[in-house]
Amino acid sequence: MTNTVTIKQLVDAMNDIKVIVGEDNLERHITISDLSRPALELTGYFSFYPQNRVQLLGRTELSFVERMTSDERYIIMKRMCQGDTPAFLVSRNQEPPKELIKAASEKGIPVLVSTRPTTRLSSNVTNFLEERLAERISQHGVLVDIYGMGVLIIGDSGIGKSETALELIQRGHRLVADDRVELYMMDEHRIIGEPPEILRHLIEIRGIGVIDVVNLFGVGSIRTSKTVDLVMNLEHWDRNRQYDRLGNNLENMRFFNVDVPKLSIPVRVGRNLSIIIEIAAMNIRAKQMGYDATETFERNLEQLIKKNSEDV
C-alpha cells in the first residue's frame, strides 16, 4: 500500500504554514515528496505538468503572473487546478493572486502560505514528505544511540537484547526503540530507525514487565529517531565455531539498498554485553576516522617477524 500524507498533517507539522482557503479540504492526499515550481505552465505549456505534486509559488512565479491580465491569470490558474493537485503553497508570506484563490476554491484545493523563503520552504517540506512517504520495514531488535552512533541490536528472542539496552541506558546512552524498529531509507547512504508510536519510550524486561524509560531515567535517555550506523547480532555461543579475533572480517547487513556494517557477538555466561557493544561502537567509529587497531597489530607483527628473521 502506498504511503500518503494529508494536507492537514503537513500543516500541523510545519508551524510556519497557514491555510488561506480550503479548510474543509485538508484531507487531500500527497503521494509524491517532490514539489513542483510552475514555470512553463505559467506561459500556457501544460504537456508535462506534474499536477499530482504540491505546487510551490515563490517570488519569481508571482512576479511573472502579475504581468498578466486578470483573465489570463484565471485561465492559467484554472488549468493548474486539477482533480489530483494536493495544494498550492506560497512562500515569503506573499498574498496569493485572487484568481488562484477563486480557481482553487472551485476545485476544493487548499491554498497555503508560509513565512519562509522559497528555497528553505522547499527543502523543509521535501524532507518532511520524504520521511513520511518513504517505504518502511519493521525490524525485530533494539536501537540505541551510543556515543552518537546508532547501534541496532538484533538476535534471537530472549537472548538479552532489551537487558543489554537497559544497561547501556544506565551507562548514559540513549534508547531509540525496543522490540520493534521501523526503518526507512533517508537517502542512498542512510537508514533511519524510529520506534512505533505504541512503543515509544518503552522497554520490556522479562520478569519485570514494561517500563517507561523517560520516567526512570529522564528525557535525556531517549531519542525519537537515529541513523543506523552498526548492526550488532547477538548469537548463542557455539564451541565448534571459529569466531573472529582480529576484527578484520566485518560483515554487512542490507536494508533496502544500503549496506550497514554488522558484527556478530557470541553470548555466554560471564560476558558483559553492554561494554562489548559500547567498545565495538567506539572501535567502528575509530576506523571511520582512520585508525584501525587491527592494521596496527598486523604492522607490529610484520615488524616483529622481520626483526626475528634478521636476528636469525
Side-chain angles (χ1 to χ4, degrees), residues 4 18 25 48 57 67 76 78 92 97 126-127 133 146 149 176 188 190 197 215 228 262 265 271 277 292 311:
T4 63
K18 62 181 180 180
N25 299 292
F48 299 97
L57 303 175
R67 302 168 58 185
I76 293 296
K78 193 171 183 179
R92 294 183 179 273
T126 299
N127 289 340
L133 296 175
I146 302 177
M149 290 194 67
V176 181
E188 292 78 8
R190 290 184 296 167
E197 184 66 32
N215 285 339
V228 179
K262 172 187 170 185
I265 304 297
R271 302 199 86 194
I277 292 175
D292 192 334
D311 291 343

Side-chain angles (χ1 to χ4, degrees), residues 11 26 55 78 104 113 121 125 139 166 173 222 245 277:
V11 173
L26 297 184
Q55 305 298 315
K78 193 171 183 179
V113 171
L121 177 61
V125 173
Q139 171 69 46
L166 183 60
H173 305 296
I222 58 100
R245 302 186 66 177
I277 292 175

Side-chain angles (χ1 to χ4, degrees), residues 51-87:
Q51 59 193 41
N52 57 346
R53 302 181 185 180
V54 173
Q55 305 298 315
L56 176 60
L57 303 175
R59 181 180 294 169
T60 302
E61 292 79 14
L62 294 187
S63 63
F64 181 83
V65 298
E66 284 178 359
R67 302 168 58 185
M68 302 176 181
T69 65
S70 179
D71 290 340
E72 289 173 337
R73 277 196 296 270
Y74 180 64
I75 292 173
I76 293 296
M77 297 306 171
K78 193 171 183 179
R79 293 188 66 183
M80 291 178 61
C81 294
Q82 299 295 318
D84 55 350
T85 302

Side-chain angles (χ1 to χ4, degrees), residues 278-310:
E278 185 180 72
I279 295 301
M282 296 169 63
N283 191 48
I284 291 294
R285 164 149 300 180
K287 288 183 178 181
Q288 293 175 347
M289 297 176 65
Y291 178 78
D292 192 334
T294 301
E295 292 180 357
T296 301
F297 171 77
E298 291 176 344
R299 185 167 57 251
N300 292 341
L301 181 60
E302 290 176 0
Q303 293 175 353
L304 179 61
I305 293 174
K306 182 179 180 180
K307 181 178 182 301
N308 290 340
S309 299
E310 292 174 351

Side-chain angles (χ1 to χ4, degrees), residues 173-289:
H173 305 296
R174 295 188 283 180
L175 174 72
V176 181
D178 176 62
D179 190 50
R180 306 301 304 182
V181 184
E182 291 189 354
L183 302 174
Y184 64 91
M185 186 170 66
M186 174 63 74
D187 52 39
E188 292 78 8
H189 307 287
R190 290 184 296 167
I191 297 295
I192 306 297
E194 60 185 22
E197 184 66 32
I198 193 173
L199 298 176
R200 187 160 294 178
H201 309 162
L202 303 179
I203 190 168
E204 178 193 356
I205 304 297
R206 282 177 170 80
I208 297 178
V210 178
I211 62 175
D212 190 322
V213 174
V214 172
N215 285 339
L216 293 182
F217 300 98
V219 294
S221 62
I222 58 100
R223 287 197 61 161
T224 56
S225 65
K226 186 71 181 77
T227 305
V228 179
D229 302 299
L230 175 65
V231 177
M232 301 293 294
N233 178 37
L234 304 184
E235 56 184 35
H236 295 285
W237 184 284
D238 183 358
R239 64 175 63 227
N240 298 317
R241 178 178 172 182
Q242 293 294 324
Y243 293 102
D244 183 19
R245 302 186 66 177
L246 293 179
N248 50 12
N249 291 326
L250 192 64
E251 301 175 301
N252 286 318
M253 187 168 181
R254 172 159 289 198
F255 300 103
F256 302 106
N257 293 321
V258 180
D259 288 326
V260 179
K262 172 187 170 185
L263 289 174
S264 293
I265 304 297
V267 177
R268 67 184 302 183
V269 177
R271 302 199 86 194
N272 192 320
L273 295 178
S274 62
I275 293 180
I276 292 174
I277 292 175
E278 185 180 72
I279 295 301
M282 296 169 63
N283 191 48
I284 291 294
R285 164 149 300 180
K287 288 183 178 181
Q288 293 175 347
M289 297 176 65

